C-alpha cells in the first residue's frame, strides 16, 4: 500500500504526539468557562477576545506543526487557501476578509456536513433511494460550497445552513431507524445535535472546539492531519463543482453523491489512518473527474456546444448596464432572459468570461462583452463599472462603500448588508440599472477582442494537426498554464512564463489565471506555423475537464501516456476548487506539475516529499530555469 510506504519511509521520524487526558480536560474547562462567561457577557467583546487568545495559545502550544504561529495573536486558524497569511495561516483576520467569528461558525458548519455525511452513508446502506437522499445531497453541496474561500462571509447565512443541516440530519436518523438500518459507529460527530435555539454566537463558540487545531490535536499525527486537510479542501471543491452541475439539473447519486458522502464521513474520523486518508484524498480526485465530466455535459446540453467566439473586451456606450461575475451560467441565462428588450446591456466579469462561447448565451445580443479582469481586481473594477453587479459564485471580495448599494449576491455567496437574490428574480437589479445609471460615456473604438471557446470539442478535432506539427518539428511543446488568479505579485510568474515560451509552442489556458496571459500583446495574435492560434482559452476552472480530455486523447492517439506527451503544466492555485482539480490530476497519475506561487500551507514536509517522489510535484521557481527544464521534458 502506498500509505504504508509513506509511513515506513517518511513517518518513522515523525514525532508521534499523544493527547493527554489532562490536556483534554484543560481544554474542556476553558471551553466551559468560556461558555459561562459568554452567557453572562454575550456582548462583551473584550472578555471574549481574551478567552479566545488564551484558548488558542494553550491549544497551539501543544502542536508542533503550528509552532511558527504567533499564538498570542491567534484568534482564528484558517489555512485553506494559498493566500493564507505568510504562507502559514490566518490567525487574526483572513487575508480574504474572513473574521474570526465567520471562521469559527464555518468550522461548526463543516462539522455538521460531516455529521450529515455519516448518516447519509448509513441511510444508503439501509436502502434509501435517490429520492430519499435528495435533501441531504442538495444541502451538502450548498453548505460545503458556502465555506469556500471568498464565498460567504455572512454569519447569519452560515447559521441558517447549520439549522437546515440539523433538520436534514435528524430526518436521516429517522429514515435509518425506520428502515431498521445499522446505526453508524458512535462518535461525537455522528451524535452531533445543535438545537435550533442556538444563536450565531453560540454556534461560533462550538466552532472553536472543532477547528483545525482541535482536529490536529485529536489526530495527534501531523501527516495524517495534513492528508485530512488535503481531502477536506478537495471535498469542498468537489462539492462546489457538483453544486454547479446540480444548478443545471444534473446529479449523479451513485457515482458522485454516494462516494462524496463517504469521503466526508471518512474526514470526520480522528484516526491517524495515513493509508486510508491518502486513499480518501485520491478518491476526491476520482469523483471530481466524474463531476467535471457531468458539469461539462450539463453546460453543453443546456447552452449548446462551445465554439470559438470573439468577445468584446471594451465598452459599449450610452446604455444601462449590468455586470455578472462568478461561474453560474444558469443565473446569467436567467438574467439575459429577464433583460431582453429592456434596453439594458449585460457584461461578464472574471470567471464568467467563457459564457460567451455557448451558443444559447451568445444568442442574446445584449450580452455585449466582458468588463475587467479577475476577481481580485473587484475593488477597483466594480467601483468604476457604471451599473449594478451580480456575483453568482466565488470569488467575492468585501465590497467597498462606493458600490455596496449596487452589488447583489446569489446562490451560496453572502456578505452581510449586501442584497441577496433568491429564486433568480433579477427585477430589482434591472430596475436599478434602468433608473440609476447612464452607462459608459462612449463606445470604445477600435474595440479589443479576446477569443474564448477552445473546449475539448473544438481542440480534439485539431489533434491530427497538432500531432503532425509535433512530428514535423513545427510544434515544440504544449504548455498548460492556468488555474486561479490572486493578488500576489509573484503570480506574474505565469505571465512571464507564457511570454517566454518559444514561438513554436502552444499554450492552453483556463481558470481566472488566464488573465495573466490573455492581455499580453505578445500572445494575443500569435499563431503557429500551421495557422493555429498559439494561445487557446479553454474556459473557466469549471472547464478543467477539457484540458484533461485533450491530454488523455492526445496520449491515446500517440500511443503513449499523458506523462510522455510534450506537455508541461504550470498551475496557479488559490482555493479549494483548485485543490479538487489537483487531486484529479494526481488520481490520473499526471506527473511533473509545477504548482505555485506557493505550495499549500497544509502540506507537511513528509507529504510533500511523497508527492515529489511519486508525482514529481514541483514548486514554481525561476521562469528561465523552469522553462529550460520544461523544454527538456522535466
Ligand atoms: Fe485566510 Fe484563505 Fe482562510 Fe481566508 S480562506 S481566512 S485567506 S486561509
Amino acid at each position: 500500500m502506498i500509505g504504508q510506504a509513506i509511513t515506513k519511509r517518511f513517518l518513522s521520524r515523525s514525532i508521534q504526539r499523544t493527547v493527554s487526558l489532562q490536556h483534554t480536560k484543560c481544554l474542556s474547562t476553558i471551553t466551559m468557562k468560556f461558555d459561562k462567561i459568554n452567557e453572562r457577557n454575550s456582548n462583551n467583546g473584550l472578555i471574549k477576545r481574551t478567552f479566545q487568545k488564551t484558548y488558542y495559545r494553550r491549544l497551539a502550544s501543544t502542536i508542533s506543526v503550528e509552532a511558527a504561529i504567533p499564538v498570542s495573536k491567534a484568534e482564528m486558524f484558517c489555512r485553506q487557501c494559498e493566500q493564507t497569511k505568510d504562507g502559514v495561516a490566518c490567525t487574526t483576520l483572513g487575508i480574504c476578509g474572513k473574521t474570526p467569528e465567520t471562521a469559527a461558525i464555518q468550522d461548526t458548519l463543516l462539522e455538521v456536513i460531516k455529521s450529515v455525511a455519516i448518516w447519509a452513508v448509513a441511510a444508503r446502506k439501509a436502502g434509501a433511494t435517490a429520492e430519499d437522499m435528495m435533501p441531504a445531497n442538495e444541502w451538502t453541496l450548498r453548505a460545503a460550497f458556502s465555506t469556500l474561500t471568498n464565498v460567504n462571509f455572512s454569519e447569519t447565512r452560515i447559521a441558517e445552513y447549520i439549522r437546515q443541516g440539523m433538520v436534514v440530519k435528524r430526518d436521516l436518523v429517522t429514515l435509518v431507524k425506520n428502515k431498521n438500518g445499522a446505526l453508524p459507529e458512535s462518535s461525537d460527530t455522528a451524535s452531533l445535535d445543535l438545537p435550533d435555539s442556538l444563536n450565531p454566537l453560540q454556534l461560533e463558540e462550538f466552532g472553536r472546539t472543532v477547528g483545525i487545531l482541535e482536529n490536529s490535536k485529536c489526530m495527534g499525527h501531523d501527516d495524517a492531519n495534513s492528508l485530512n486537510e488535503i481531502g477536506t479542501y478537495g471535498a469542498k471543491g468537489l462539492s462546489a463543482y457538483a453544486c454547479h452541475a446540480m444548478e443545471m439539473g444534473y446529479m449523479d447519486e451513485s457515482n458522485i453523491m454516494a462516494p462524496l458522502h463517504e469521503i466526508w464521513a471518512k474526514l470526520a474520523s480522528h484516526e491517524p489512518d495515513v493509508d486510508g486518508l491518502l486513499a480518501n484524498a485520491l478518491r476526491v480526485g476520482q469523483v471530481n473527474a466524474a463531476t467535471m465530466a457531468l458539469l461539462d455535459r450539463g453546460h453543453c446540453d443546456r447552452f449548446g456546444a462551445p465554439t470559438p467566439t470573439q468577445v468584446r473586451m471594451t465598452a459599449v456606450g450610452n446604455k444601462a448596464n449590468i455586470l455578472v461575475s462568478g461561474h453560474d451560467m444558469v443565473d446569467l441565462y436567467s438574467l439575459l432572459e429577464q433583460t431582453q428588450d429592456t434596453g439594458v446591456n449585460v457584461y461578464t466579469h472574471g470567471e464568467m468570461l467563457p459564457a460567451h462561447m455557448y451558443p444559447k448565451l451568445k444568442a442574446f445580443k445584449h450580452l455585449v462583452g466582458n468588463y475587467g479582469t479577475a476577481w481580485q481586481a473587484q475593488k477597483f473594477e466594480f467601483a468604476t463599472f457604471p451599473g449594478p453587479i451580480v456575483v453568482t459564485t466565488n470569488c467575492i471580495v468585501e465590497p467597498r462603500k462606493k458600490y455596496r448599494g449596487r452589488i447583489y449576491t446569489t446562490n451560496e455567496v453572502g456578505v452581510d448588508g449586501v442584497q441577496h437574490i433568491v429564486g433568480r428574480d433579477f427585477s430589482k437589479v434591472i430596475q436599478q440599472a434602468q433608473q440609476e445609471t447612464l452607462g459608459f460615456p462612449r463606445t470604445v473604438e477600435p474595440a479589443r477582442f479576446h477569443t474564448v471557446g477552445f473546449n475539448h470539442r473544438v481542440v480534439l478535432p485539431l489533434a491530427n494537426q497538432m500531432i503532425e506539427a509535433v512530428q514535423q518539428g513545427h510544434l515544440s511543446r504544449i504548455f498548460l498554464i492556468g488555474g486561479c488568479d490572486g493578488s500576489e505579485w509573484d503570480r506574474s510568474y505565469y505571465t512571464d512564463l507564457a511570454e517566454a515560451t518559444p514561438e513554436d509552442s502552444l499554450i492552453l489556458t483556463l481558470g481566472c489565471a488566464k488573465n495573466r496571459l490573455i492581455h499580453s500583446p505578445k500572445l494575443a495574435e500569435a499563431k503557429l506555423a500551421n495557422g493555429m492560434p498559439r494561445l487557446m482559452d479553454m474556459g473557466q476552472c469549471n472547464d478543467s475537464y477539457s484540458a484533461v480530455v485533450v491530454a488523455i486523447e492526445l496520449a491515446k492517439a500517440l500511443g503513449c501516456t499523458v506523462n510522455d506527451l510534450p506537455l508541461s503544466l504550470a498551475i496557479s492555485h488559490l482555493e479549494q476548487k483548485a485543490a479538487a482539480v489537483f487531486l484529479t490530476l494526481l488520481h490520473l497519475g499526471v506527473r511533473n506539475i509545477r504548482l505555485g506561487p506557493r505550495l499549500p500551507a497544509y502540506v507537511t514536509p513528509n507529504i510533500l516529499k511523497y508527492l515529489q517522489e511519486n508525482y514529481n510535484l514541483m514548486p514554481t521557481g525561476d521562469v528561465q530555469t523552469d522553462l529550460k527544464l520544461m523544454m527538456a521534458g522535466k
Side-chain angles (χ1 to χ4, degrees):
M1 294 287 288
I2 300 169
Q4 282 165 351
I6 302 180
T7 312
K8 275 189 198 148
R9 296 173 65 187
F10 305 123
L11 306 187
S12 55
R13 280 168 292 163
S14 170
I15 301 166
Q16 304 289 319
R17 291 183 310 279
T18 49
V19 181
S20 70
L21 184 61
Q22 193 186 6
H23 181 68
T24 311
K25 277 182 186 162
C26 160
L27 288 169
S28 358
T29 313
I30 291 171
T31 311
M32 276 163 57
K33 275 188 190 165
F34 191 8
D35 285 347
K36 279 190 185 148
I37 287 200
N38 251 336
E39 259 170 49
R40 289 201 311 267
N41 303 284
S42 57
N43 294 319
N44 191 329
L46 181 68
I47 291 181
K48 184 177 162 192
R49 271 167 189 265
T50 308
F51 262 82
Q52 274 172 223
K53 283 182 184 175
T54 311
Y55 176 77
Y56 278 102
R57 188 161 45 238
R58 292 212 191 172
L59 194 55
S61 65
T62 64
I63 297 166
S64 63
V65 75
E66 328 306 356
I69 294 158
V71 288
S72 60
K73 291 185 184 165
E75 295 174 32
M76 60 186 282
F77 191 91
C78 183
R79 59 179 175 190
Q80 69 172 355
C81 81
E82 188 276 342
Q83 63 189 341
T84 195
K85 185 151 188 319
D86 300 329
V88 180
C90 294
T91 54
T92 50
L93 178 71
I95 298 290
C96 61
K98 185 156 75 178
T99 62
E101 290 76 19
T102 310
I105 201 167
Q106 286 193 354
D107 284 341
T108 303
L109 179 55
L110 204 58
E111 196 65 8
V112 180
I113 291 169
K114 291 172 186 171
S115 188
V116 165
I118 289 171
W119 284 94
V121 172
R124 287 191 178 91
K125 280 187 192 154
T129 63
E131 200 183 327
D132 293 334
M133 297 310 297
M134 267 316 276
N137 290 349
E138 183 173 342
W139 178 85
T140 301
L141 302 185
R142 293 195 189 286
F145 200 165
S146 74
T147 68
L148 260 66
T149 299
N150 289 98
V151 172
N152 200 320
F153 298 93
S154 165
E155 287 164 56
T156 324
R157 293 269 309 282
I158 300 291
E160 187 51 33
Y161 280 118
I162 292 169
R163 270 187 282 278
Q164 291 167 358
M166 290 318 308
V167 172
V168 167
K169 187 245 166 113
R170 289 178 203 121
D171 288 349
L172 286 172
V173 173
T174 309
L175 193 146
V176 172
K177 288 181 178 166
N178 287 348
K179 286 185 180 288
N180 293 321
L183 300 182
E185 205 175 302
S186 154
S187 71
D188 287 349
T189 313
S191 60
L192 180 71
D193 197 354
L194 300 168
D196 287 355
S197 57
L198 294 183
N199 61 36
L201 190 68
Q202 291 165 311
L203 293 172
E204 278 168 32
E205 295 323 323
F206 177 79
R208 293 196 170 89
T209 67
V210 291
I212 296 169
L213 289 177
E214 180 73 21
N215 284 344
S216 168
K217 173 183 72 66
C218 292
M219 188 91 72
H221 193 301
D222 287 349
D223 299 308
N225 188 60
S226 173
L227 287 167
N228 187 293
E229 281 191 65
I230 293 171
T232 299
Y233 306 138
K236 285 189 182 194
L238 156 56
S239 301
Y241 283 133
C243 193
H244 284 301
M246 179 177 72
E247 290 294 353
M248 283 180 296
Y250 287 77
M251 184 176 280
D252 185 332
E253 165 64 16
S254 35
N255 296 310
I256 296 175
M257 290 315 303
L260 177 60
H261 277 133
E262 286 167 13
I263 286 165
W264 277 119
K266 173 72 185 168
L267 293 166
S269 165
H270 290 137
E271 279 301 305
D273 170 16
V274 173
D275 267 348
L277 287 165
L278 178 66
N280 203 46
L282 292 175
R283 194 176 185 207
V284 170
Q286 179 195 0
V287 180
N288 191 54
T291 306
M292 303 211 73
L294 186 69
L295 190 53
D296 174 78
R297 183 153 66 85
H299 277 134
C300 286
D301 288 356
R302 188 88 189 247
F303 304 118
T307 52
T309 306
Q310 284 211 315
V311 184
R312 186 183 189 105
M313 305 293 274
T314 45
V316 174
N318 305 314
K319 282 259 195 175
N321 303 302
I322 296 174
L323 186 64
V324 188
S325 196
H327 305 71
D328 196 310
M329 302 286 171
V330 185
D331 274 356
L332 177 63
Y333 184 81
S334 195
L335 178 71
L336 287 167
E337 275 189 321
Q338 292 174 45
T339 43
Q340 201 157 23
D341 304 323
T342 60
V344 175
N345 279 342
V346 176
Y347 290 81
T348 55
H349 178 270
E351 282 285 66
M352 199 56 89
L353 165 59
H356 297 265
M357 69 187 179
Y358 294 104
K360 285 189 185 166
L361 291 170
K362 68 181 174 185
F364 290 98
K365 296 295 171 228
H366 62 297
L367 177 63
V368 289
N370 184 77
Y371 170 86
T373 53
W375 66 275
Q376 75 276 3
Q378 278 173 30
K379 288 202 176 196
F380 171 72
E381 292 175 354
F382 286 3
T384 53
F385 182 79
I389 303 136
V390 180
V391 182
T392 63
T393 62
N394 54 316
C395 294
I396 189 165
V397 178
E398 173 72 19
R400 286 169 61 190
K401 268 193 193 151
K402 187 151 174 66
Y403 58 87
R404 213 175 169 95
R406 55 182 170 87
I407 185 167
Y408 299 80
T409 58
T410 64
N411 306 310
E412 289 69 41
V413 189
V415 177
D416 281 331
V418 166
Q419 300 182 72
H420 186 70
I421 292 169
V422 276
R424 297 202 164 97
D425 174 4
F426 294 105
S427 48
K428 267 190 186 171
V429 188
I430 298 165
Q431 214 174 27
Q432 188 174 30
Q434 288 170 323
Q435 289 174 356
E436 293 181 20
T437 60
L438 298 169
F440 291 105
R442 65 185 177 87
T443 300
V444 175
E445 294 292 359
R448 194 165 49 79
F449 292 91
H450 166 66
T451 305
V452 296
F454 291 96
N455 178 269
H456 64 93
R457 293 168 183 79
V458 173
V459 178
L460 277 181
L462 304 173
N464 283 343
Q465 254 180 289
M466 285 158 75
I467 291 167
E468 223 170 74
V470 171
Q471 287 164 345
Q472 291 173 354
H474 297 144
L475 175 57
S476 61
R477 197 144 195 93
I478 302 170
F479 293 88
L480 175 63
I481 305 176
C484 312
D485 205 353
S487 51
E488 302 99 318
W489 64 269
D490 45 355
R491 285 188 193 266
S492 61
Y493 169 90
Y494 299 95
T495 318
D496 298 343
L497 176 68
E499 290 190 337
T501 53
E503 287 175 6
D504 62 352
S505 66
L506 176 66
I507 302 171
L508 303 175
T509 190
L510 48 79
C512 51
K514 69 157 72 84
N515 284 287
R516 297 277 162 180
L517 286 61
I518 62 174
H519 306 285
S520 161
K522 192 170 175 188
L523 297 168
E525 302 297 327
K527 292 214 175 348
L528 294 172
N530 63 4
M532 282 168 65
R534 270 202 66 207
L535 180 65
M536 293 189 182
D537 181 348
M538 304 188 98
Q540 301 177 325
C541 68
N542 291 20
D543 300 303
S544 305
Y545 177 71
S546 265
V548 168
V549 171
V550 167
I552 290 174
E553 293 303 319
L554 268 180
K556 268 191 211 161
L558 286 165
C560 63
T561 73
V562 169
N563 295 320
D564 300 321
L565 289 172
L567 171 70
S568 297
L569 294 91
I571 307 295
S572 173
H573 78 111
L574 186 130
E575 42 78 285
Q576 298 74 46
K577 284 177 171 175
V581 174
F582 175 69
L583 290 172
T584 295
L585 294 174
L586 296 192
H587 155 73
L588 294 170
V590 176
R591 292 171 55 85
N592 307 330
I593 300 169
R594 282 180 170 78
L595 192 64
R598 287 186 305 204
L599 293 175
Y602 46 84
V603 174
T604 56
N606 285 331
I607 300 299
L608 178 61
K609 197 170 178 191
Y610 170 77
L611 293 173
Q612 286 170 332
E613 294 206 353
N614 289 276
Y615 297 94
N616 198 27
L617 176 73
M618 290 167 273
T620 50
D622 165 69
V623 166
Q624 288 305 332
T625 312
D626 281 2
L627 186 58
K628 210 183 254 182
L629 290 167
M630 286 172 169
M631 293 307 291
K634 293 177 186 160

